[in-house]
């Protein structure tokens, strides 16, 4: 019988995770199944408990469940403790549940390995101060950028988030209005604006000529922010599908101890998108 894994979230019907993990399992010869289950926050604990009681070995948790997963886990990896959010739960041999956060690692791997970008010495603008931003700040700071400026619609949230990570490097936070006159090499969109086809209010000139734009959101078509980057002189303007695949690969490795080859799957997805 195959070993069981799943993703919980709400909504979940459009999740690409079952396809990604099924691909990884076939590629690496792992006997496992991976399903998607719609779980409301108020039913999170009951559903997680039932999943593990009935033999499940690992879970991914996505919006809006990452903070609940953090609270649920008996122990956490250092990067999950830093993020205060968990996207991966693993059943341990002693029956306890380990919580990890693979989002930041997924983003950095996609930027460095797949897009061949350098982060050291770069001026990074991070848009948004929600759960995704929380997971990626520490892994970004590990790459020694010149600075990270967090801009958010609710400026206080950006200021508070920056304060949580200031011990790791140069990071500050505020509102979009404060970006006037500033310029960045890399702009990461970690707002959920793209999900409704909207754009954060960015001043002209905020992206250096030939800079990079990266939208954590992804879709079958380029997002509004990817279009914004291309229209504002970006040499490279891409969405977050690579991050999704890389964070999944890291979770798969945590669960199975085998690292899948992500390049093969990225090229499958890219060729499908190219046909649309
Ligand atoms: P949250 O709901 O936790 O945070 C949303 C953020 O977006 C907040 O900072 C919010 O600002 C801001 N925001 C929402 N609407 C707008 C708008 N119209 N204009 C400007 N700012 C806006 O979401 P997450 O952090 O979990 O997710 C953010 C994005 O990252 C999503 O698109 C998600 O799909 C993507 N993501 C991608 C991953 C991947 O693997 N590629 C992994 C994780 C996330 P405020 O605080 O003012 O409300």
């Amino acid at each position: 019988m195959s070993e069981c894994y799943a993703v919980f979230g709400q909504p979940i019907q459009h999740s690409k995770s079952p396809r990604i993990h099924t691909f990884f399992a076939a590629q690496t010869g792992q006997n496992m199944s991976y399903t998607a289950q719609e779980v409301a926050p108020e039913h999170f604990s009951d559903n997680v408990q039932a999943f593990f009681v009935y033999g499940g070995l690992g879970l991914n948790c996505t919006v809006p469940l990452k903070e609940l997963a953090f609270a649920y886990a008996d122990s956490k990896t250092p990067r999950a403790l830093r993020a205060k959010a968990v996207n991966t739960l693993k059943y341990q041999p002693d029956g306890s549940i380990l919580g990890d956060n693979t989002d930041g690692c997924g983003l950095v791997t996609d930027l460095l390995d797949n897009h061949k970008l350098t982060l050291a010495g770069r001026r990074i603008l991070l848009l948004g101060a929600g759960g995704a931003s929380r997971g990626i700040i520490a892994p970004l700071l590990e790459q020694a950028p010149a600075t990270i400026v967090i801009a958010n619609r609710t400026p206080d949230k950006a200021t508070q988030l920056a304060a949580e990570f200031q011990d790791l490097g140069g990071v500050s936070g505020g509102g979009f209005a404060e970006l006037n006159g500033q310029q960045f090499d890399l702009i990461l969109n970690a707002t959920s604006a793209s999900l409704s086809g909207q754009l954060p209010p960015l001043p002209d000139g905020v992206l250096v000529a030939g800079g990079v734009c990266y939208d954590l959101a992804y879709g079958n078509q380029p997002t509004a922010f990817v279009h914004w980057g291309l229209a504002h002189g970006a040499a490279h303007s891409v969405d977050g599908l690579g991050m999704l695949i890389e964070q999944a690969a890291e979770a798969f490795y945590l669960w199975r101890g085998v690292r899948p080859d992500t390049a093969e799957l990225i090229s499958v997805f890219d060729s499908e998108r190219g046909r649309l």
Side-chain angles (χ1 to χ4, degrees):
M1 214 174 75
S2 66
E3 296 179 321
C4 296
Y5 296 82
V7 58
F8 286 0
Q10 189 186 47
I12 203 66
Q13 64 271 23
H14 297 302
S15 171
K16 295 186 190 298
S17 293
R19 188 170 168 209
I20 292 171
H21 283 281
T22 302
F23 184 97
F24 287 162
Q27 185 196 54
T28 59
Q30 300 289 301
N31 184 21
M32 58 184 275
S33 66
Y34 187 105
T35 54
Q37 193 176 322
E38 175 120 1
V39 173
E42 57 273 28
H43 301 306
F44 179 74
S45 290
D46 289 349
N47 278 275
V48 175
Q49 204 175 0
F51 178 80
F52 286 118
V53 163
Y54 285 104
L57 292 182
L59 273 180
N60 284 135
C61 300
T62 186
V63 180
L65 306 173
K66 291 182 187 179
E67 282 80 16
L68 291 170
F70 179 82
Y72 188 94
D74 299 306
S75 60
K76 287 114 183 163
T77 60
R79 60 192 180 187
L81 285 168
R82 253 295 168 183
K84 296 199 182 111
V86 155
N87 74 338
T88 305
L89 294 171
K90 181 187 182 189
Y91 184 82
Q92 303 282 73
D94 66 359
S96 68
I97 304 299
L98 173 70
D100 194 8
N101 189 316
T102 65
D103 281 339
C105 168
L107 171 68
V108 170
T109 302
D110 193 38
L111 291 171
L112 300 186
D113 295 355
N114 300 333
H115 295 294
K116 310 292 179 209
L117 299 171
T118 304
L119 299 178
R122 298 290 192 255
R123 297 162 297 174
I124 300 177
L125 172 59
L126 175 58
L127 308 174
S133 290
R134 177 168 280 291
I136 65 178
I137 295 170
L140 287 170
L141 285 170
E142 273 174 28
Q143 298 300 316
T147 181
I148 298 180
V149 173
I150 309 168
N152 195 45
R153 185 173 60 180
T154 313
D156 283 356
K157 276 175 66 180
T159 313
Q160 281 163 24
L161 191 60
E164 273 186 53
F165 291 90
Q166 260 152 13
D167 60 315
L168 298 180
V171 52
S172 61
F176 291 109
E178 290 156 50
L179 298 175
N180 280 310
Q182 296 196 61
Q183 205 164 50
F184 297 90
D185 306 301
L186 167 64
I187 305 181
L188 298 165
N189 182 22
T191 72
S192 44
S194 291
L195 302 179
S196 50
Q198 293 179 299
L199 276 172
L202 292 173
D204 283 342
V206 71
L207 179 71
V208 75
V212 175
C213 287
Y214 188 104
D215 199 342
L216 271 66
Y218 50 84
N220 289 330
Q221 303 293 333
T223 66
F225 182 69
V226 169
H227 281 300
W228 183 92
L230 294 172
H232 288 79
H236 207 67
S237 191
V238 294
D239 73 12
L241 185 62
M243 172 182 173
L244 179 78
I245 292 171
E246 295 296 346
Q247 64 76 31
E250 189 71 11
F252 190 92
Y253 179 65
L254 179 81
W255 292 329
R256 308 298 301 184
V258 182
R259 201 170 277 287
D261 172 11
T262 53
E264 201 184 339
L265 184 56
I266 288 172
S267 69
V268 169
F269 275 115
D270 278 347
S271 65
E272 288 178 1
R273 296 207 285 184
R275 285 202 297 269
L276 289 169

